[in-house]
Amino acid sequence: MDTPKKTLVSLFSKGLSRAFSQIPKEADTVLIDITKSTQEKFGHYQFNSAMRLAKPLGKSPRLIAEEIVHHLEKDHVIESFEIAGPGFINITLTSEYLSSIVDLIAKKGCQPDQKRHQKIVIDFSSPNIAKELHVGHLRSTIIGDCLARLFEFQGYDVVRLNHIGDWGTQFGMLIAYMKEHVPDAFEEPKGYFLSDLMGWYKAAKAKFDEDSKFKTTSQLEVGKLQGGDPSSLKAWKAIVDISKQSYEEIYKLLDIRIEERPESFYNPFLNDVVDTLQKKGIAIESEGALCIFLDGFIGREGEPLPLIIRKSDGAFNYATTDLAAIRHRVDVERADRIIYVTDAGQASHFKMIFQAAEKAGWLDKTKTRVDHVPFGLVLGPDGKKFKTRSGETEKLIDLIH
Ligand code: ARG
Protein backbone atom coordinates (compact mmCIF):
# COMPACT_ATOMS: atom_id res chain seq x y z
CA MET A 1 0.00 0.00 0.00
CA ASP A 2 1.32 3.42 -0.92
CA THR A 3 1.68 6.30 1.47
CA PRO A 4 -1.14 8.88 1.44
CA LYS A 5 1.10 11.36 -0.32
CA LYS A 6 2.06 8.94 -3.08
CA THR A 7 -1.58 7.97 -3.55
CA LEU A 8 -2.62 11.61 -3.82
CA VAL A 9 0.15 12.42 -6.30
CA SER A 10 -1.05 9.61 -8.51
CA LEU A 11 -4.71 10.73 -8.29
CA PHE A 12 -3.81 14.35 -9.08
CA SER A 13 -1.58 13.32 -11.91
CA LYS A 14 -4.47 11.49 -13.53
CA GLY A 15 -6.85 14.39 -12.89
CA LEU A 16 -4.41 16.87 -14.33
CA SER A 17 -3.87 15.02 -17.57
CA ARG A 18 -7.60 14.51 -17.94
CA ALA A 19 -8.25 18.20 -17.43
CA PHE A 20 -5.45 19.47 -19.64
CA SER A 21 -4.51 17.13 -22.42
CA GLN A 22 -1.81 19.53 -23.64
CA ILE A 23 0.37 18.81 -20.60
CA PRO A 24 3.03 16.24 -21.48
CA LYS A 25 2.59 13.07 -19.40
CA GLU A 26 6.21 12.94 -18.22
CA ALA A 27 5.93 16.45 -16.86
CA ASP A 28 2.79 16.02 -14.80
CA THR A 29 4.21 14.26 -11.74
CA VAL A 30 6.92 16.90 -11.55
CA LEU A 31 4.19 19.48 -11.53
CA ILE A 32 2.32 17.90 -8.71
CA ASP A 33 3.31 19.45 -5.45
CA ILE A 34 1.37 17.98 -2.55
CA THR A 35 2.24 18.78 1.03
CA LYS A 36 0.67 18.28 4.43
CA SER A 37 -1.74 21.02 5.43
CA THR A 38 -0.28 23.77 7.49
CA GLN A 39 -3.40 23.93 9.62
CA GLU A 40 -5.90 21.32 10.62
CA LYS A 41 -8.87 23.44 9.50
CA PHE A 42 -7.57 23.28 5.90
CA GLY A 43 -7.83 19.49 5.78
CA HIS A 44 -5.09 16.87 5.68
CA TYR A 45 -3.08 17.73 2.56
CA GLN A 46 -2.87 20.55 0.03
CA PHE A 47 -2.14 20.79 -3.66
CA ASN A 48 0.08 23.79 -4.44
CA SER A 49 0.80 23.60 -8.19
CA ALA A 50 -2.07 25.57 -9.73
CA MET A 51 -0.09 28.81 -9.44
CA ARG A 52 2.86 27.32 -11.30
CA LEU A 53 0.58 26.05 -14.06
CA ALA A 54 -0.98 29.45 -14.75
CA LYS A 55 1.69 30.61 -17.16
CA PRO A 56 2.09 27.50 -19.35
CA LEU A 57 -1.70 27.01 -19.49
CA GLY A 58 -2.54 30.70 -19.84
CA LYS A 59 -5.32 30.46 -17.27
CA SER A 60 -5.86 31.79 -13.75
CA PRO A 61 -4.73 29.44 -10.94
CA ARG A 62 -8.23 29.30 -9.43
CA LEU A 63 -9.69 28.26 -12.76
CA ILE A 64 -7.02 25.60 -13.16
CA ALA A 65 -7.75 24.33 -9.64
CA GLU A 66 -11.45 24.12 -10.49
CA GLU A 67 -10.74 22.16 -13.66
CA ILE A 68 -8.50 19.70 -11.84
CA VAL A 69 -11.01 19.13 -9.06
CA HIS A 70 -13.66 18.53 -11.66
CA HIS A 71 -11.59 15.76 -13.25
CA LEU A 72 -10.36 14.06 -10.07
CA GLU A 73 -11.46 10.62 -9.05
CA LYS A 74 -12.13 10.49 -5.33
CA ASP A 75 -11.52 6.77 -5.18
CA HIS A 76 -12.55 6.19 -1.49
CA VAL A 77 -9.49 8.20 -0.59
CA ILE A 78 -10.70 11.78 -0.78
CA GLU A 79 -13.64 12.97 1.28
CA SER A 80 -13.74 16.58 0.00
CA PHE A 81 -11.84 19.41 -1.67
CA GLU A 82 -11.85 23.11 -1.13
CA ILE A 83 -10.26 25.69 -3.37
CA ALA A 84 -8.68 28.35 -1.27
CA GLY A 85 -6.73 31.58 -1.65
CA PRO A 86 -5.06 32.15 -5.03
CA GLY A 87 -5.60 28.51 -6.09
CA PHE A 88 -4.64 26.00 -3.43
CA ILE A 89 -6.64 22.81 -3.26
CA ASN A 90 -7.24 21.64 0.30
CA ILE A 91 -7.80 17.93 0.58
CA THR A 92 -9.64 16.04 3.30
CA LEU A 93 -9.18 12.29 3.34
CA THR A 94 -11.95 9.83 4.20
CA SER A 95 -11.92 8.24 7.65
CA GLU A 96 -12.17 4.87 5.96
CA TYR A 97 -8.91 5.49 4.11
CA LEU A 98 -7.16 6.96 7.18
CA SER A 99 -8.13 4.04 9.35
CA SER A 100 -6.84 1.57 6.78
CA ILE A 101 -3.48 3.38 6.87
CA VAL A 102 -3.34 3.36 10.66
CA ASP A 103 -4.33 -0.27 10.67
CA LEU A 104 -1.51 -1.09 8.31
CA ILE A 105 1.04 0.81 10.38
CA ALA A 106 -0.16 -0.99 13.49
CA LYS A 107 0.14 -4.34 11.78
CA LYS A 108 3.15 -3.92 9.55
CA GLY A 109 4.36 -0.34 9.66
CA CYS A 110 7.34 -0.74 11.92
CA GLN A 111 8.29 -4.34 11.42
CA PRO A 112 11.76 -5.12 12.71
CA ASP A 113 14.30 -5.43 9.93
CA GLN A 114 15.17 -8.99 10.89
CA LYS A 115 13.88 -11.84 13.01
CA ARG A 116 15.96 -12.34 16.19
CA HIS A 117 16.77 -15.81 17.31
CA GLN A 118 17.65 -15.05 20.87
CA LYS A 119 15.86 -15.99 24.04
CA ILE A 120 15.34 -13.39 26.72
CA VAL A 121 14.15 -14.25 30.21
CA ILE A 122 12.51 -11.32 31.97
CA ASP A 123 11.99 -11.75 35.70
CA PHE A 124 9.48 -9.13 36.79
CA SER A 125 6.55 -8.33 39.08
CA SER A 126 7.47 -11.17 41.47
CA PRO A 127 5.41 -10.36 44.57
CA ASN A 128 5.65 -12.20 47.87
CA ILE A 129 3.00 -14.63 49.06
CA ALA A 130 0.83 -13.63 52.01
CA LYS A 131 1.61 -9.97 51.34
CA GLU A 132 -0.27 -7.49 49.24
CA LEU A 133 1.42 -6.19 46.15
CA HIS A 134 2.64 -2.71 47.04
CA VAL A 135 3.12 0.28 44.77
CA GLY A 136 6.72 -0.73 44.01
CA HIS A 137 5.44 -3.91 42.43
CA LEU A 138 3.51 -1.73 39.99
CA ARG A 139 6.81 -0.39 38.68
CA SER A 140 8.32 -3.84 38.32
CA THR A 141 5.15 -5.11 36.65
CA ILE A 142 4.83 -2.25 34.18
CA ILE A 143 8.52 -1.86 33.35
CA GLY A 144 8.89 -5.63 32.94
CA ASP A 145 5.82 -5.88 30.76
CA CYS A 146 7.01 -2.96 28.58
CA LEU A 147 10.41 -4.58 28.10
CA ALA A 148 8.75 -7.89 27.27
CA ARG A 149 6.47 -6.23 24.71
CA LEU A 150 9.36 -4.38 23.07
CA PHE A 151 11.49 -7.49 22.76
CA GLU A 152 8.55 -9.59 21.58
CA PHE A 153 7.82 -6.96 18.95
CA GLN A 154 11.40 -7.18 17.76
CA GLY A 155 10.96 -10.90 17.31
CA TYR A 156 12.84 -12.19 20.34
CA ASP A 157 11.69 -15.29 22.14
CA VAL A 158 10.68 -13.77 25.47
CA VAL A 159 10.02 -15.81 28.60
CA ARG A 160 8.12 -13.73 31.17
CA LEU A 161 8.79 -15.13 34.62
CA ASN A 162 7.06 -14.37 37.89
CA HIS A 163 9.59 -15.21 40.58
CA ILE A 164 6.94 -15.25 43.30
CA GLY A 165 8.31 -15.30 46.83
CA ASP A 166 6.42 -18.34 48.02
CA TRP A 167 8.98 -20.03 50.23
CA GLY A 168 10.68 -19.03 53.43
CA THR A 169 10.72 -19.38 57.17
CA GLN A 170 7.87 -16.88 57.66
CA PHE A 171 5.43 -19.56 56.48
CA GLY A 172 6.10 -21.66 59.57
CA MET A 173 4.62 -19.00 61.80
CA LEU A 174 1.61 -18.43 59.58
CA ILE A 175 0.85 -22.13 59.18
CA ALA A 176 1.17 -22.74 62.93
CA TYR A 177 -1.23 -19.88 63.61
CA MET A 178 -3.75 -20.99 61.02
CA LYS A 179 -3.67 -24.59 62.20
CA GLU A 180 -4.70 -23.32 65.63
CA HIS A 181 -7.23 -20.65 64.69
CA VAL A 182 -8.61 -21.20 61.18
CA PRO A 183 -8.04 -24.85 60.26
CA ASP A 184 -11.00 -24.76 57.84
CA ALA A 185 -9.04 -22.34 55.57
CA PHE A 186 -6.90 -25.29 54.49
CA GLU A 187 -9.98 -27.18 53.31
CA GLU A 188 -11.81 -24.24 51.75
CA PRO A 189 -9.24 -21.59 50.80
CA LYS A 190 -11.63 -20.06 48.26
CA GLY A 191 -13.68 -18.38 50.99
CA TYR A 192 -10.69 -16.36 52.21
CA PHE A 193 -8.80 -13.38 50.92
CA LEU A 194 -5.34 -11.97 51.07
CA SER A 195 -6.57 -9.45 53.63
CA ASP A 196 -7.41 -12.38 55.95
CA LEU A 197 -3.91 -13.77 55.49
CA MET A 198 -2.41 -10.41 56.34
CA GLY A 199 -4.46 -10.26 59.54
CA TRP A 200 -3.41 -13.75 60.56
CA TYR A 201 0.18 -12.94 59.73
CA LYS A 202 0.12 -9.91 62.03
CA ALA A 203 -1.47 -11.92 64.84
CA ALA A 204 1.00 -14.77 64.30
CA LYS A 205 3.94 -12.37 64.45
CA ALA A 206 2.71 -10.90 67.74
CA LYS A 207 2.20 -14.36 69.20
CA PHE A 208 5.61 -15.49 67.97
CA ASP A 209 7.29 -12.61 69.80
CA GLU A 210 5.59 -13.19 73.15
CA ASP A 211 4.72 -16.89 73.34
CA SER A 212 7.77 -19.15 73.44
CA LYS A 213 5.69 -22.30 72.99
CA PHE A 214 4.21 -20.87 69.80
CA LYS A 215 7.68 -19.87 68.68
CA THR A 216 8.85 -23.47 68.98
CA THR A 217 5.76 -24.79 67.16
CA SER A 218 6.41 -22.29 64.35
CA GLN A 219 10.02 -23.34 63.99
CA LEU A 220 9.03 -26.99 63.95
CA GLU A 221 6.48 -26.12 61.29
CA VAL A 222 9.25 -24.72 59.05
CA GLY A 223 11.13 -27.98 59.34
CA LYS A 224 8.00 -29.99 58.58
CA LEU A 225 7.27 -27.87 55.53
CA GLN A 226 10.81 -28.17 54.21
CA GLY A 227 10.75 -31.88 54.93
CA GLY A 228 7.63 -32.25 52.80
CA ASP A 229 5.13 -33.14 55.55
CA PRO A 230 1.76 -33.55 53.73
CA SER A 231 -0.35 -31.53 56.20
CA SER A 232 2.13 -28.65 56.16
CA LEU A 233 2.37 -28.73 52.38
CA LYS A 234 -1.41 -28.62 52.15
CA ALA A 235 -1.50 -25.63 54.46
CA TRP A 236 1.17 -23.86 52.46
CA LYS A 237 -0.68 -24.58 49.23
CA ALA A 238 -3.84 -22.98 50.65
CA ILE A 239 -1.88 -19.84 51.57
CA VAL A 240 -0.43 -19.65 48.07
CA ASP A 241 -3.86 -20.09 46.50
CA ILE A 242 -5.46 -17.39 48.62
CA SER A 243 -2.67 -14.95 47.73
CA LYS A 244 -2.70 -15.74 44.06
CA GLN A 245 -6.36 -14.82 43.69
CA SER A 246 -5.53 -11.22 44.42
CA TYR A 247 -2.48 -11.09 42.13
CA GLU A 248 -4.55 -12.45 39.32
CA GLU A 249 -7.10 -9.71 39.85
CA ILE A 250 -4.35 -7.12 39.40
CA TYR A 251 -2.81 -8.78 36.34
CA LYS A 252 -6.22 -8.94 34.74
CA LEU A 253 -6.84 -5.25 35.37
CA LEU A 254 -3.43 -4.32 33.97
CA ASP A 255 -3.54 -6.80 31.08
CA ILE A 256 -0.34 -8.54 32.14
CA ARG A 257 0.71 -11.92 30.84
CA ILE A 258 3.24 -13.71 33.05
CA GLU A 259 4.28 -17.25 33.76
CA GLU A 260 4.56 -18.42 37.36
CA ARG A 261 7.97 -19.75 38.24
CA PRO A 262 7.92 -19.24 42.00
CA GLU A 263 10.82 -19.64 44.39
CA SER A 264 9.54 -23.06 45.50
CA PHE A 265 10.12 -24.30 41.94
CA TYR A 266 13.86 -24.26 42.69
CA ASN A 267 13.63 -26.20 46.00
CA PRO A 268 14.76 -29.51 44.47
CA PHE A 269 17.95 -27.84 43.18
CA LEU A 270 19.02 -26.00 46.32
CA ASN A 271 20.99 -28.82 47.97
CA ASP A 272 23.03 -29.38 44.86
CA VAL A 273 23.68 -25.66 44.41
CA VAL A 274 25.01 -25.41 47.94
CA ASP A 275 27.02 -28.65 47.79
CA THR A 276 28.65 -27.67 44.52
CA LEU A 277 29.59 -24.24 45.80
CA GLN A 278 31.04 -25.77 48.92
CA LYS A 279 32.98 -28.44 47.03
CA LYS A 280 34.44 -25.84 44.71
CA GLY A 281 35.57 -23.89 47.76
CA ILE A 282 33.48 -20.90 46.72
CA ALA A 283 31.21 -21.07 49.75
CA ILE A 284 32.76 -21.27 53.19
CA GLU A 285 31.41 -21.39 56.72
CA SER A 286 31.58 -18.26 58.76
CA GLU A 287 29.92 -17.85 62.16
CA GLY A 288 27.76 -20.90 61.48
CA ALA A 289 26.44 -19.60 58.17
CA LEU A 290 27.55 -20.70 54.74
CA CYS A 291 28.88 -17.65 52.90
CA ILE A 292 30.40 -16.53 49.63
CA PHE A 293 32.88 -13.67 49.81
CA LEU A 294 33.12 -11.66 46.63
CA ASP A 295 35.37 -8.92 45.34
CA GLY A 296 34.30 -5.39 46.02
CA PHE A 297 31.71 -6.03 48.72
CA ILE A 298 32.86 -4.29 51.86
CA GLY A 299 30.75 -3.27 54.85
CA ARG A 300 30.74 0.09 56.68
CA GLU A 301 33.56 -0.88 59.02
CA GLY A 302 35.66 -2.22 56.18
CA GLU A 303 34.68 -5.83 56.89
CA PRO A 304 34.01 -8.15 53.92
CA LEU A 305 30.28 -8.52 53.22
CA PRO A 306 29.21 -12.11 52.65
CA LEU A 307 26.52 -13.43 50.36
CA ILE A 308 24.83 -15.85 52.76
CA ILE A 309 23.49 -18.96 51.07
CA ARG A 310 22.65 -21.01 54.15
CA LYS A 311 21.73 -19.38 57.42
CA SER A 312 23.13 -20.61 60.71
CA ASP A 313 19.78 -22.34 61.43
CA GLY A 314 20.32 -24.40 58.28
CA ALA A 315 17.69 -22.61 56.17
CA PHE A 316 18.29 -21.61 52.58
CA ASN A 317 17.36 -18.07 51.60
CA TYR A 318 16.64 -15.57 48.83
CA ALA A 319 20.23 -15.77 47.54
CA THR A 320 20.30 -19.58 47.41
CA THR A 321 17.15 -19.57 45.31
CA ASP A 322 18.47 -16.87 43.00
CA LEU A 323 21.65 -18.86 42.39
CA ALA A 324 19.58 -21.95 41.56
CA ALA A 325 17.40 -19.77 39.33
CA ILE A 326 20.25 -18.26 37.32
CA ARG A 327 21.79 -21.69 36.85
CA HIS A 328 18.46 -23.05 35.63
CA ARG A 329 17.87 -20.10 33.30
CA VAL A 330 21.25 -20.57 31.64
CA ASP A 331 21.40 -24.38 31.56
CA VAL A 332 17.82 -25.46 31.09
CA GLU A 333 16.06 -22.37 29.77
CA ARG A 334 19.07 -21.61 27.54
CA ALA A 335 18.60 -17.88 27.86
CA ASP A 336 20.82 -15.57 25.85
CA ARG A 337 19.88 -12.74 28.11
CA ILE A 338 18.34 -12.49 31.59
CA ILE A 339 16.74 -9.31 32.88
CA TYR A 340 15.65 -8.72 36.47
CA VAL A 341 13.32 -5.84 37.23
CA THR A 342 13.29 -4.86 40.91
CA ASP A 343 13.75 -1.82 43.13
CA ALA A 344 17.21 -0.28 43.25
CA GLY A 345 17.63 -1.50 46.84
CA GLN A 346 18.40 -4.96 45.47
CA ALA A 347 21.21 -3.80 43.19
CA SER A 348 24.02 -5.24 45.26
CA HIS A 349 22.12 -8.51 45.76
CA PHE A 350 22.08 -9.03 42.00
CA LYS A 351 25.69 -7.91 41.56
CA MET A 352 26.64 -10.56 44.09
CA ILE A 353 24.47 -13.23 42.48
CA PHE A 354 25.97 -12.52 39.04
CA GLN A 355 29.51 -12.59 40.39
CA ALA A 356 28.93 -15.77 42.40
CA ALA A 357 27.34 -17.50 39.40
CA GLU A 358 30.34 -16.54 37.25
CA LYS A 359 32.73 -17.87 39.90
CA ALA A 360 30.80 -21.16 39.99
CA GLY A 361 31.03 -21.43 36.21
CA TRP A 362 27.26 -21.22 35.80
CA LEU A 363 27.29 -17.89 34.04
CA ASP A 364 29.56 -16.86 31.19
CA LYS A 365 28.91 -13.21 30.50
CA THR A 366 30.36 -13.48 27.00
CA LYS A 367 27.54 -15.88 26.19
CA THR A 368 24.69 -14.74 28.43
CA ARG A 369 23.97 -11.12 29.13
CA VAL A 370 22.55 -10.35 32.57
CA ASP A 371 21.00 -7.06 33.61
CA HIS A 372 19.37 -5.75 36.70
CA VAL A 373 16.88 -3.04 35.77
CA PRO A 374 16.50 -0.98 38.93
CA PHE A 375 13.84 1.57 39.75
CA GLY A 376 13.58 4.00 42.64
CA LEU A 377 11.10 4.19 45.46
CA VAL A 378 7.65 5.54 44.79
CA LEU A 379 7.61 8.79 46.77
CA GLY A 380 4.73 10.70 48.29
CA PRO A 381 4.24 14.47 47.92
CA ASP A 382 6.44 14.89 51.01
CA GLY A 383 9.35 13.33 49.15
CA LYS A 384 9.31 10.31 51.45
CA LYS A 385 8.42 6.70 50.72
CA PHE A 386 4.81 6.62 49.57
CA LYS A 387 2.46 5.55 52.39
CA THR A 388 -1.22 5.80 53.14
CA ARG A 389 -2.45 8.45 55.57
CA SER A 390 -2.39 6.01 58.43
CA GLY A 391 1.24 5.25 57.65
CA GLU A 392 0.59 1.85 56.12
CA THR A 393 2.16 0.72 52.88
CA GLU A 394 -0.17 1.63 50.02
CA LYS A 395 -1.82 -1.43 48.52
CA LEU A 396 -1.51 -1.63 44.79
CA ILE A 397 -5.10 -2.69 44.27
CA ASP A 398 -6.39 0.42 46.11
CA LEU A 399 -4.11 2.62 44.07
CA ILE A 400 -5.30 1.13 40.81
CA HIS A 401 -8.95 1.53 41.80
N1 ARG B 1 10.04 -10.99 45.57
C1 ARG B 1 10.97 -9.92 45.37
C2 ARG B 1 10.38 -8.60 45.87
O1 ARG B 1 9.20 -8.52 46.14
C3 ARG B 1 11.38 -9.74 43.93
C4 ARG B 1 12.00 -10.92 43.27
C5 ARG B 1 12.78 -10.54 42.06
N2 ARG B 1 13.37 -11.64 41.35
C6 ARG B 1 14.41 -12.38 41.76
N3 ARG B 1 14.83 -13.33 40.97
N4 ARG B 1 15.03 -12.14 42.89
O2 ARG B 1 11.09 -7.63 45.97
Side-chain angles (χ1 to χ4, degrees):
M1 198 168 177
D2 286 336
T3 60
K5 189 169 164 172
K6 223 173 153 191
T7 305
L8 287 174
V9 167
S10 143
L11 283 175
F12 270 76
S13 156
K14 279 187 215 146
L16 185 63
S17 46
R18 256 187 244 129
F20 303 101
S21 49
Q22 65 267 49
I23 292 191
K25 250 218 155 335
E26 323 68 77
D28 64 7
T29 41
V30 185
L31 288 171
I32 308 236
D33 176 27
I34 287 181
T35 53
K36 273 187 204 153
S37 284
T38 47
Q39 285 186 54
E40 208 181 306
K41 62 176 181 203
F42 297 147
H44 300 115
Y45 285 86
Q46 62 188 52
F47 171 76
N48 310 315
S49 308
M51 282 71 79
R52 264 210 283 159
L53 288 164
K55 218 172 167 192
L57 292 174
K59 287 188 165 90
S60 84
R62 276 196 81 98
L63 218 93
I64 295 171
E66 268 163 32
E67 278 299 311
I68 295 172
V69 165
H70 188 69
H71 286 90
L72 270 179
E73 239 175 82
K74 288 191 178 172
D75 203 25
H76 298 296
V77 173
I78 298 166
E79 175 75 47
S80 62
F81 307 107
E82 189 201 10
I83 298 171
F88 292 107
I89 305 175
N90 293 334
I91 308 153
T92 300
L93 303 172
T94 64
S95 343
E96 184 195 343
Y97 174 66
L98 284 174
S99 79
S100 72
I101 293 283
V102 173
D103 202 38
L104 196 77
I105 293 171
K107 282 188 193 132
K108 293 208 176 135
C110 327
Q111 275 303 293
D113 41 4
Q114 76 210 61
K115 191 98 188 137
R116 327 279 162 139
H117 296 286
Q118 288 199 337
K119 190 169 192 177
I120 306 186
V121 165
I122 307 183
D123 173 323
F124 69 105
S125 195
S126 307
N128 300 314
I129 290 293
K131 287 194 198 154
E132 295 275 359
L133 267 85
H134 56 72
V135 300
H137 286 119
L138 179 64
R139 285 202 164 157
S140 177
T141 307
I142 299 298
I143 296 168
D145 183 57
C146 286
L147 289 172
R149 283 172 193 249
L150 285 169
F151 285 120
E152 280 159 3
F153 177 75
Q154 288 188 298
Y156 287 97
D157 177 10
V158 176
V159 183
R160 302 157 162 252
L161 293 186
N162 202 354
H163 192 82
I164 299 176
D166 68 342
W167 201 254
T169 42
Q170 78 274 24
F171 288 104
M173 204 170 72
L174 187 56
I175 295 173
Y177 182 88
M178 288 169 67
K179 277 188 174 173
E180 256 177 51
H181 296 89
V182 269
D184 66 306
F186 303 138
E187 303 305 325
E188 281 297 330
K190 277 215 148 43
Y192 293 94
F193 300 97
L194 186 50
S195 49
D196 298 314
L197 280 181
M198 307 262 293
W200 301 331
Y201 189 87
K202 254 193 190 160
K205 178 88 179 66
K207 201 165 177 182
F208 186 92
D209 291 339
E210 68 200 20
D211 179 343
S212 63
K213 212 175 127 226
F214 181 73
K215 192 171 175 176
T216 317
T217 322
S218 300
Q219 283 159 345
L220 287 174
E221 201 52 67
V222 176
K224 277 166 75 183
L225 181 62
Q226 290 179 342
D229 174 86
S231 88
S232 305
L233 274 178
K234 186 175 177 186
W236 167 78
K237 180 85 178 40
I239 294 172
V240 172
D241 287 347
I242 295 171
S243 306
K244 278 203 308 210
Q245 291 168 24
S246 63
Y247 304 155
E248 272 148 24
E249 186 189 350
I250 287 177
Y251 295 145
K252 215 170 150 193
L253 276 168
L254 298 175
D255 189 20
I256 302 293
R257 226 176 349 100
I258 190 161
E259 189 180 319
E260 273 172 34
R261 186 75 62 82
E263 291 190 356
S264 60
F265 172 88
Y266 302 100
N267 283 349
F269 314 119
L270 298 182
N271 274 318
D272 187 55
V273 160
V274 171
D275 285 350
T276 309
L277 289 168
Q278 217 169 359
K279 272 193 207 118
K280 288 191 177 178
I282 296 168
I284 51 170
E285 274 201 43
S286 167
E287 293 170 42
L290 194 61
C291 305
I292 305 177
F293 291 95
L294 298 154
D295 297 336
F297 293 93
I298 309 289
R300 280 211 192 103
E301 328 262 85
E303 78 285 8
L305 273 187
L307 176 69
I308 299 176
I309 59 165
R310 194 181 61 212
K311 297 193 285 182
S312 52
D313 63 6
F316 298 139
N317 61 6
Y318 191 50
T320 331
T321 309
D322 258 329
L323 284 169
I326 199 165
R327 191 185 188 187
H328 189 271
R329 288 164 188 182
V330 173
D331 280 358
V332 182
E333 211 57 70
R334 303 228 152 258
D336 297 289
R337 186 169 181 182
I338 311 170
I339 299 174
Y340 299 80
V341 188
T342 78
D343 62 281
Q346 300 191 41
S348 65
H349 165 78
F350 286 109
K351 272 193 197 132
M352 287 176 124
I353 295 292
F354 299 162
Q355 212 190 101
E358 272 190 287
K359 249 186 147 172
W362 299 333
L363 170 69
D364 176 351
K365 281 195 184 163
T366 63
K367 296 204 179 96
T368 313
R369 176 170 170 179
V370 285
D371 291 288
H372 174 226
V373 175
F375 51 84
L377 284 176
V378 181
L379 303 180
D382 55 358
K384 293 190 187 135
K385 190 173 168 176
F386 187 53
K387 294 230 160 111
T388 59
R389 271 199 204 173
S390 56
E392 303 261 326
T393 308
E394 180 72 56
K395 288 184 208 160
L396 181 53
I397 191 75
D398 294 342
L399 186 81
I400 292 171
H401 283 312

